Amino acid sequence: MEPAADLAGAPAPGSLWLARHALPVRPPGTGAPPQRPASACCYGHTDWPADPALTHQAATALALALSTAHRPAGRTGSAAQPVASLRVRCSPLRRCQQLADALAGLIPHICVQTDTRLAELHFGRWEGLPWDEVPRDELDAWAADFGTYRMGSNGETVQELLQRVSSVAHEAQTSDAPDTLWITHAGVIRAVHWLQERGWPLVPEPPQANAWPTPAPGYGGWCCTAWPAGSAAEPVKKGVSEG
């Protein structure tokens, strides 16, 4: 299904766009049963590619949204123009790099910076496993200690994810162009929402499972918020897709 945009609100100057990669594809011979799609697996730092056709579809929809959002005021019939000042930061993982490359082919002037802090949460030895094969007692331990539990023994904690997302947010607010696009993952986008609700870029106490945001754009979708000015930012535009 094509990514769809809710255009009820127009992004204000100084917008942070958060785009999620397209549907990932699990390559043959990666351990899980062949009938298990990537979406049924824990693939945080696992560098699986995204579906090429869905990536192109997502890039086309996102490029249109970016240009439409910055159409000159009062000129509804005018041609959409690319965002001249757009700064793009992208996760190093292949599924995000594919979307960045596709978008650059549609908006040639944009400059993409790879930022390792925008990678998905690292799940340690859970990586690549179908979720229903992750030991139940380990998932229960994570739920009980959501913010500081180390995933799969040697992975990350949610608090570490928040710290790196907070770091890149602080840097971007002070050094990037007013309009910034992050091409990233659901976990990073949820971390942004959590930090916004609590007055970021400072990282407060570790989150609890019942307070962690669950909404995130679908595969190939996006959302857009205004950069916060000392307090939480209000969401102003969203894109959604079905995975």
Side-chain angles (χ1 to χ4, degrees), residues 8-236:
S15 296
L16 172 61
W17 295 72
L18 300 164
R20 187 182 179 190
H21 58 84
L23 180 71
V25 177
R26 187 173 62 81
T30 51
Q35 68 272 19
R36 297 291 184 87
S39 57
C41 299
C42 177
Y43 60 87
H45 261 227
T46 304
D47 204 11
W48 290 342
D51 181 280
L54 294 177
T55 295
H56 178 75
Q57 182 176 287
T60 301
L62 180 56
L64 178 61
L66 287 166
S67 57
T68 301
H70 292 78
R71 194 190 303 273
R75 297 181 60 186
T76 56
S78 62
Q81 298 297 318
V83 182
S85 62
L86 187 67
R87 171 72 177 271
V88 183
R89 291 179 184 251
C90 183
S91 162
L93 296 175
R94 183 169 23 166
R95 52 193 184 269
C96 289
Q97 293 285 324
Q98 288 174 256
L99 181 55
D101 290 344
L103 189 65
L106 298 167
I107 310 178
H109 68 277
I110 64 171
C111 178
V112 179
Q113 173 188 351
T114 298
D115 194 318
T116 58
R117 294 169 293 182
L118 296 183
E120 184 58 286
L121 186 67
H122 195 308
F123 288 95
R125 61 184 178 83
W126 298 353
E127 289 282 342
L129 290 177
W131 276 109
D132 59 10
E133 291 184 15
V134 176
R136 182 72 253 176
D137 60 331
E138 295 183 20
L139 291 174
D140 290 343
W142 176 25
D145 186 16
F146 186 77
T148 58
Y149 181 81
R150 190 161 298 284
M151 310 292 176
S153 300
N154 60 340
E156 278 188 293
T157 69
V158 172
Q159 183 72 351
E160 287 170 344
L161 170 68
L162 287 167
Q163 287 169 343
R164 59 179 166 89
V165 171
S166 179
S167 170
V168 69
H170 177 70
E171 180 183 303
Q173 279 190 276
T174 57
S175 66
D176 285 5
D179 292 296
T180 301
L181 167 65
W182 292 0
I183 299 176
T184 186
H185 309 267
V188 171
I189 295 172
R190 291 184 178 112
V192 169
H193 293 331
W194 194 86
L195 289 164
Q196 284 179 325
E197 291 170 1
R198 287 156 180 81
W200 68 325
L202 298 177
V203 179
E205 74 287 346
Q208 299 300 314
N210 60 4
W212 188 247
T214 53
Y219 294 121
W222 65 89
C223 60
C224 181
T225 72
W227 280 113
S231 60
E234 293 297 326
V236 292

